[in-house]
Amino acid sequence: MFRINRMTDYAVVLLVDMARKRTVRSAQQIAAETGVPLPTVSKIMKTLTRDGLVTSVRGAGGGYALGREPGVITVADMIQAVEGPIALTSCVEEAEEECGIESLCPMHGHWTQVNTAVRGALATVSLADMAADQPMFGVPAQ
Amino acid sequence: MFRINRMTDYAVVLLVDMARKRTVRSAQQIAAETGVPLPTVSKIMKTLTRDGLVTSVRGAGGGYALGREPGVITVADMIQAVEGPIALTSCVEEAEEECGIESLCPMHGHWTQVNTAVRGALATVSLADMAADQPMFGVPAQ
DNA sequence: GCATTACGGACTAATTCGGTCCCTTTTTAA
DNA sequence: TTAAAAAGGGACCGAATTAGTCCGTAATGC
Ligand code: SF4
Ligand code: SF4
């Protein structure tokens, strides 16, 4: 079951919500409207802020708003903000870990090709697409 | 760190190894040549056999061999064999789980688009590509 | 009959993930 | 000036998943 983790999914939900109501709103409001529990919203917003995907306003009356136009934020950006670099295995350049059998491994480097393809696919869909009212039937995904 | 899990990675390693030496070999031999621990090889082979990606021969002198031509096995196939259906979130059709906030969620259905794009990307690379001696520089991944 | 090898599943230790909580800092408004 | 509202940062814990091992059973060849 190849899947993104739940925090990332929620992050996208929150971003879509912000993309629709383009105004500064508190974490509490956003939590109430999306159904995501408040502490979780809070945690996710912190990480999204670090990457500049959302901007924050502190103090009473503050909150969060989208940091860039929805059209220029891709799904790849969102995933990377929450999960870190997209590195399918530990032998693609972006990964920081080391692989135990790397020396014997018969396909040193080939994963990079797959990794690039996947990242490319994730970059074809923007936040604006995700926030559209209707799923886009008939639009070729690749 | 968006990544496939280790078992899947190993599965691909084993398949690449089999794609190169096209003969029936025991799990023990394969383990020795790839560096993957024997019990793990054994476990992975079981699941790959279930999906027909490899064929098995029981009894003394038996072992495993590739079930189909390397050119027609895609990375998507390999991942699905080990991890089950590719379902980035629990609201794409292939997923069997249910999502708690599905009713409130503002992007019901949009993930399917992303999911399709990713699966498409994973299907562009075949086992033959992974088993090639040199990484394919200069070949556009998408 | 015996050695070899796959098959199926149970089991456990380790790791990661999801989620909560608390305290600090900033800002607004009474 | 004070109090309330909100984000920021990080520690923390229970739950779930994963990685890896092990065992007994079934099939096959010598
Ligand atoms: S070196 Fe081989 S086994 Fe290690 S991460 Fe890369 S592909 Fe996987
Ligand atoms: S319904 Fe919404 S929150 Fe649930 S899995 Fe789908 S996108 Fe994620």
Side-chain angles (χ1 to χ4, degrees), chain A residues 34-140:
Chain A
T34 56
V36 180
L38 174 58
T40 302
V41 171
S42 187
K43 183 177 196 169
I44 292 173
M45 286 305 187
K46 289 171 204 172
T47 74
L48 293 179
T49 304
R50 260 206 301 277
D51 267 47
L53 257 43
V54 308
T55 54
S56 66
V57 181
R58 300 180 71 159
Y64 297 97
L66 215 53
R68 296 189 238 146
E69 285 304 305
V72 300
I73 299 179
T74 70
V75 173
D77 293 332
M78 303 188 248
I79 291 179
Q80 281 174 344
V82 180
E83 309 201 12
I86 292 175
L88 256 30
T89 65
S90 49
C91 61
V92 303
E93 283 104 36
E94 290 83 352
E96 53 259 4
E97 286 166 79
E98 198 68 16
C99 167
I101 68 170
E102 194 160 350
S103 50
L104 280 173
C105 180
M107 40 175 204
H108 219 37
H110 281 297
W111 273 111
T112 302
Q113 182 188 354
V114 179
N115 204 64
T116 307
V118 170
R119 194 174 29 226
L122 291 172
T124 60
V125 183
S126 73
L127 177 55
D129 297 331
M130 297 296 274
D133 285 334
Q134 306 283 29
M136 300 163 72
F137 294 117
V139 174

Side-chain angles (χ1 to χ4, degrees), chain B residues 35-131:
Chain B
V36 179
L38 174 59
T40 302
V41 170
S42 186
K43 183 177 194 169
I44 292 172
M45 286 306 187
K46 289 171 203 171
T47 74
L48 293 179
T49 303
R50 258 207 302 279
D51 268 47
L53 257 45
V54 308
T55 54
S56 66
V57 182
R58 298 179 73 158
Y64 297 97
L66 215 53
R68 295 189 240 147
E69 283 304 304
V72 301
I73 299 179
T74 71
V75 173
D77 294 331
M78 303 189 248
I79 292 178
Q80 281 174 346
V82 180
E83 310 201 10
I86 292 175
L88 255 32
T89 66
S90 48
C91 61
V92 302
E93 285 104 35
E94 289 85 351
E96 53 261 2
E97 286 167 78
E98 199 67 16
C99 167
I101 68 172
E102 194 160 348
S103 50
L104 281 172
C105 181
M107 41 174 202
H108 220 35
H110 281 298
W111 273 111
T112 302
Q113 183 187 355
V114 179
N115 204 64
T116 306
V118 169
R119 194 176 26 227
L122 291 172
T124 59
V125 183
S126 73
L127 177 54
D129 296 331
M130 296 297 274

